[in-house]
Amino acid sequence: MIFVSSITNPKLSHSTTNYLILITVIVVAGISQGLLLPVLSIFLEQKGVSPGLNGLNAAALYVGSFAMTLVAERLLGAIGFKKLIIGGLLFVMIPLILFPYVPDIKIWFILRLVVGIGDSALHYSAQLWVLLVTAPEKRGRYISLYGMSYGLGFSIGPLGIKLLGFGDAVPFWVLFVCMAAVLILVLMKLPDTKPEKAEHGQLPERRFRRSLAWAWYALLPALLYGYMEAGMNSNFPVYGLRIGLDANLISSLLPFVGIGGLFLQLPLGMLSDRYGRKQTLMFAGITGGIIFMLVPVAGTHFWWTLVLLTIAGGLVGSFFSLGLAYAADILPKTLLPAANVVASFHFTIGSIIGPNLGGQVINWISPGSMFILLGFMYLLFGAAGVLFRRKPMLESVVK
């Protein structure tokens, strides 16, 4: 059984108020990820923890996210959108106030697992709600705005490093208060809705395999985006400290990866409408990959590094939303929920690999090697676009 919602469902109809609440939820979810990864990485680096172990600890967040993805669809059908969002917020908020007071790396691993579960619940429920209630002709626009909202939060998050000067616990309490305000808003204003149940002859596993077989190139960007996002926020602070940048400069540079995505999200979406999603993804991947490889050349030069991170982040910052839009172009509507789950899997897998692989290459090769590897992955993706061919199909094939 798979749960599918219809935009004709009056309880799940499009509402500007509901959409704005969902966007607010995604902004604070982005802030939580954008803040926790670099702040905790700096704490562990200052404690003398190796980059490899630092990255492994950071990956716990995405292990929790992966675990949540396994049950998200059934859980959503059982309790509905509102309760899943409330649960997600609580699962992020409670660990926040424990991190600064329980500075044990083993406990942090567990707390990050819990945060990952909460973040995954927030993303899955909010993203699916937006996809299901938005008319097809407006879906690209709303997905872009969704991605921009997350990018905004993710860009704001690292600025919390500056609050460490007031005390190690201050960034966590500021974020806790913000999320508490959002929780109150959800409790008071968001309707309690559940997706409609629809029986289909195919098993969900077969739907996942078919969506991946038909749209593998459109679903790969989620993996690359997860790798880049988690790797940059966990490994860039270590990279910066290793080459001689101080924490303030690192906190000033890191948001520009997300800021670039904010500037280029809509322009790239418009280019994809005009010239095609695959062509846009290939161009962004190849160009972004080359620019990432140039970051080590900038060394400790602040402005060159800022420009390179902004452009590279802008080009690949829309990968998740562009990939979903491309999947929506390729797949029958009945496979879109399954494709959404597959994209979430890919994002989580990339997020787990990113901090670990990046930390290992920093430790065993050189700090700049994290950018060489990252850039090579995007170049490889761009080249792989030549091999992908869209398969003609009828929507009725999965009925």
Side-chain angles (χ1 to χ4, degrees):
M1 176 182 291
I2 189 166
F3 295 97
V4 184
S5 297
S6 169
I7 59 174
T8 59
N9 180 1
K11 293 184 178 180
L12 198 59
S13 60
H14 178 75
S15 161
T16 301
T17 300
N18 294 346
Y19 181 75
L20 291 176
I21 293 174
L22 295 174
I23 289 298
T24 305
V25 168
I26 292 307
V27 170
V28 295
I31 292 175
S32 72
Q33 287 188 307
L35 181 143
L36 284 177
L37 287 171
V39 168
L40 296 181
S41 290
I42 287 174
F43 283 172
L44 293 176
E45 175 71 9
Q46 290 173 344
K47 290 176 180 290
V49 176
S50 70
L53 187 56
N54 198 330
L56 180 62
N57 193 264
L61 187 147
Y62 298 101
V63 174
S65 179
F66 184 81
M68 181 62 195
T69 304
L70 294 174
V71 299
E73 189 176 11
R74 291 186 179 182
L75 192 58
L76 178 63
I79 67 175
F81 287 98
K82 182 174 181 176
K83 291 185 177 66
L84 189 57
I85 290 173
I86 291 171
L89 287 169
L90 291 174
F91 267 58
V92 176
M93 291 170 60
I94 294 172
L96 277 177
I97 55 176
L98 296 178
F99 278 115
Y101 301 111
V102 190
D104 186 314
I105 188 171
K106 295 178 182 178
I107 302 298
W108 278 10
F109 188 90
I110 297 172
L111 293 178
R112 290 202 206 206
L113 281 173
V114 176
V115 172
I117 292 171
D119 271 328
S120 181
L122 294 176
H123 280 287
Y124 184 81
S125 51
Q127 180 177 285
L128 189 57
W129 193 333
V130 171
L131 283 172
L132 293 174
V133 303
T134 306
E137 63 272 15
K138 297 181 179 179
R139 188 173 292 136
R141 182 190 312 170
Y142 280 101
I143 289 177
S144 294
L145 290 173
Y146 176 96
M148 289 176 65
S149 300
Y150 176 76
L152 175 63
F154 200 72
S155 300
I156 293 172
L159 297 177
I161 296 174
K162 296 180 180 295
L163 298 175
L164 292 173
F166 301 98
D168 288 350
V170 173
F172 300 95
W173 276 106
V174 170
L175 180 55
F176 179 87
V177 171
C178 292
M179 298 196 80
V182 174
L183 176 61
I184 294 171
L185 183 63
V186 170
L187 286 168
M188 294 178 62
K189 297 294 185 179
L190 201 64
D192 192 5
T193 63
K194 289 184 179 182
E196 296 177 2
K197 296 181 181 180
E199 292 281 358
H200 294 289
Q202 295 181 2
L203 294 173
E205 292 79 6
R206 186 176 180 185
R207 297 166 64 85
F208 297 150
R209 288 197 302 269
R210 182 162 287 183
S211 65
L212 183 57
W214 286 347
W216 61 267
Y217 193 73
L219 297 173
L220 272 180
L223 187 146
L224 288 172
Y225 182 78
Y227 181 97
M228 183 276 295
E229 177 197 81
M232 285 296 297
N233 276 268
S234 296
N235 299 140
F236 184 75
V238 178
Y239 164 84
L241 292 173
R242 290 289 177 94
I243 68 170
L245 296 173
D246 63 36
N248 284 328
L249 288 179
I250 293 169
S251 68
S252 298
L253 286 170
L254 194 51
F256 282 89
V257 178
I259 290 171
L262 292 177
F263 282 120
L264 294 183
Q265 184 97 219
L266 281 178
L268 285 173
M270 294 171 64
L271 284 175
S272 73
D273 288 335
R274 182 170 183 179
Y275 298 107
R277 313 263 190 236
K278 187 176 83 167
Q279 289 80 358
T280 304
L281 284 167
M282 290 175 65
F283 166 77
I286 292 172
T287 310
I290 293 171
I291 295 174
F292 270 130
M293 288 181 168
L294 293 176
V295 172
V297 178
T300 57
H301 195 287
F302 178 83
W303 290 107
W304 274 116
T305 303
L306 184 149
V307 170
L308 291 172
L309 290 179
T310 302
I311 298 174
L315 287 168
V316 305
S318 59
F319 256 45
F320 194 96
S321 57
L322 272 183
L324 282 179
Y326 190 26
D329 294 339
I330 296 169
L331 296 172
K333 293 179 181 179
T334 48
L335 283 182
L336 285 180
N340 190 71
V341 173
V342 173
S344 297
F345 273 127
H346 282 179
F347 174 80
T348 303
I349 292 170
S351 301
I352 293 171
I353 295 173
N356 286 283
L357 190 55
Q360 292 297 335
V361 297
I362 288 175
N363 197 36
W364 294 104
I365 303 177
S366 68
S369 60
M370 65 167 284
F371 286 105
I372 302 300
L373 180 60
L374 179 62
F376 176 76
M377 288 182 175
Y378 279 104
L379 286 173
L380 189 62
F381 168 80
V386 178
L387 304 175
F388 180 73
R389 293 290 183 272
R390 178 176 177 174
K391 297 180 180 180
M393 67 192 72
L394 297 174
E395 288 199 15
S396 59
V397 74
V398 291
K399 288 185 178 178

